[in-house]
Amino acid sequence: MITTTLQEIRNTFERLTPETPNPIDRLAIQSLPLPVAYHLKRAIEAADKEYQRTEDLRTELIKRLGEKTSKEDEPEQWKVPATKMVDFSREFTELLKEEIALDGCRMLTIDELGKAEISTADLFSLGWLIGELETEAQPKTEKVTRITRKK
């Protein structure tokens, strides 16, 4: 199971520009071993459901606080007026802080990704999905042996 926040998922699916693929799409096009690709696909599908749910709630919030700006014969468009923008930001930010669990999914390790090319920026966005294997607990203080010169 992966535990993450809606903000982290949103960061993964957001595009900087319409032409730019998002971080999850850039990872999904990498050549990966079949078992790793399977776990990646499961995680993407589960995260996408949460992303879509979040976007639906954002749209509902815009409609609740905003004003319709389109005419009857145009596609529906809404805008939150400046007087309600603080309320919108507060409510949406609270939603994005929600922690969720992606059941049936597991994190991928750097080793599993092999030779996949991932930018540092994408690693930040994909931090909820990519991690290191947990090892035995390390002691909180390390013993340091001083290096001395031979006399």
Side-chain angles (χ1 to χ4, degrees):
M1 173 176 67
I2 295 176
T3 303
T4 186
T5 65
L6 292 174
Q7 179 67 64
E8 289 174 319
I9 287 178
R10 191 164 195 263
N11 292 346
T12 302
F13 283 91
E14 289 293 298
R15 298 174 187 274
L16 294 177
T17 66
E19 304 82 36
T20 309
N22 61 40
I24 202 79
D25 287 343
R26 286 190 290 271
L27 179 58
I29 63 169
Q30 299 291 318
S31 251
L32 300 170
L34 192 56
V36 177
Y38 168 79
H39 287 289
L40 176 60
K41 183 177 186 311
R42 282 190 69 145
I44 290 172
E45 289 171 348
D48 185 55
K49 285 180 184 174
E50 295 299 332
Y51 176 72
Q52 294 305 323
R53 187 175 294 131
T54 302
E55 286 301 295
D56 290 346
L57 290 170
R58 185 180 68 85
T59 300
E60 288 176 24
L61 183 60
I62 290 170
K63 287 181 177 182
R64 182 167 50 87
L65 297 176
E67 302 165 350
K68 189 173 182 180
T69 59
S70 56
K71 296 178 181 161
E72 292 301 320
D73 59 336
E74 297 175 338
E76 196 173 272
Q77 291 186 353
W78 293 75
K79 181 179 178 182
V80 176
T83 56
K84 294 185 180 179
M85 191 54 80
V86 171
D87 293 334
F88 173 82
S89 293
R90 181 182 40 76
E91 287 189 51
F92 194 56
T93 299
E94 283 302 309
L95 173 65
L96 294 177
K97 289 178 184 177
E98 287 295 313
E99 236 181 51
I100 58 156
L102 302 177
D103 294 325
C105 300
R106 70 167 178 82
M107 291 183 82
L108 305 176
T109 67
I110 297 290
D111 288 342
E112 286 179 312
L113 296 176
K115 296 181 182 184
E117 293 184 18
I118 304 170
S119 73
T120 303
D122 285 352
L123 276 176
F124 279 112
S125 293
L126 297 165
W128 61 271
L129 177 61
I130 301 171
E132 288 298 319
L133 288 174
E134 291 183 17
T135 58
E136 292 180 27
Q138 299 292 324
K140 291 192 184 216
T141 58
E142 296 180 12
K143 292 182 180 180
V144 178
T145 306
R146 288 188 178 265
I147 299 175
T148 57
R149 279 191 185 162
K150 284 188 174 182
K151 294 186 182 182

